[in-house]
């Protein structure tokens, strides 16, 4: 029984350790779409919404929301603004530092 590992340990050995959006940003500073997707996913979950519910509120499809959240799509800022505003009822703030 000593040799039995937890599933997450086995997956980490096979696939490598999963890293968070924040950790990934450190290694890949150009990963804006990944970071925006992670922000959207966190806000959606905080609002206790499914991807499908968010898509319905914004006039898009669940698959589109999924692609945004996974960082697989490069969208216009106006689209992100619409999803955050209409879908989540939040405001989007952009800063230049």
């Amino acid at each position: 029984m000593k040799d039995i590992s937890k599933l997450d340990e086995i997956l980490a050995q096979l696939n490598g350790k999963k890293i968070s959006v924040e950790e990934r940003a450190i290694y890949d500073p150009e990963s804006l779409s990944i970071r925006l997707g992670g922000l959207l996913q966190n806000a959606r979950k905080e609002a206790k919404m499914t991807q499908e519910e968010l898509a319905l509120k914004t006039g898009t499809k669940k698959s589109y929301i999924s692609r945004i959240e996974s960082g697989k799509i490069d969208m216009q800022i106006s689209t992100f603004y619409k999803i955050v505003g209409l879908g989540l009822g939040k405001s989007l703030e952009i800063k230049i530092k």
Side-chain angles (χ1 to χ4, degrees):
M1 291 298 254
K2 285 183 184 179
D3 295 335
I4 296 176
S5 297
K6 293 180 182 176
L7 179 59
D8 58 345
E9 292 171 353
I10 294 169
L11 291 174
Q13 284 179 339
L14 293 173
N15 303 322
K17 179 184 174 261
K18 271 190 153 182
I19 61 172
S20 69
V21 172
E22 293 80 12
E23 289 174 309
R24 187 168 183 159
I26 293 168
Y27 298 109
D28 186 7
E30 302 301 317
S31 65
L32 181 59
S33 60
I34 292 170
R35 288 181 284 160
L36 289 176
L39 289 172
L40 180 62
Q41 183 180 51
N42 291 341
R44 177 184 57 76
K45 287 181 176 182
E46 185 178 287
K48 297 183 180 1
M49 294 178 72
T50 65
Q51 289 178 342
E52 191 164 351
E53 290 168 332
L54 182 57
L56 285 171
K57 281 187 138 185
T58 57
T60 61
K61 295 182 179 184
K62 178 190 176 293
S63 60
Y64 184 67
I65 299 297
S66 176
R67 289 194 324 265
I68 292 171
E69 288 184 359
S70 63
K72 294 179 181 172
I73 192 167
D74 192 16
M75 73 188 133
Q76 294 183 353
I77 197 68
S78 59
T79 302
F80 196 65
Y81 181 82
K82 175 184 169 186
I83 291 170
V84 170
L86 287 177
L88 299 173
K90 296 186 180 257
S91 61
L92 180 62
E93 182 179 306
I94 300 172
K95 293 182 182 181
I96 299 176
K97 292 184 179 183

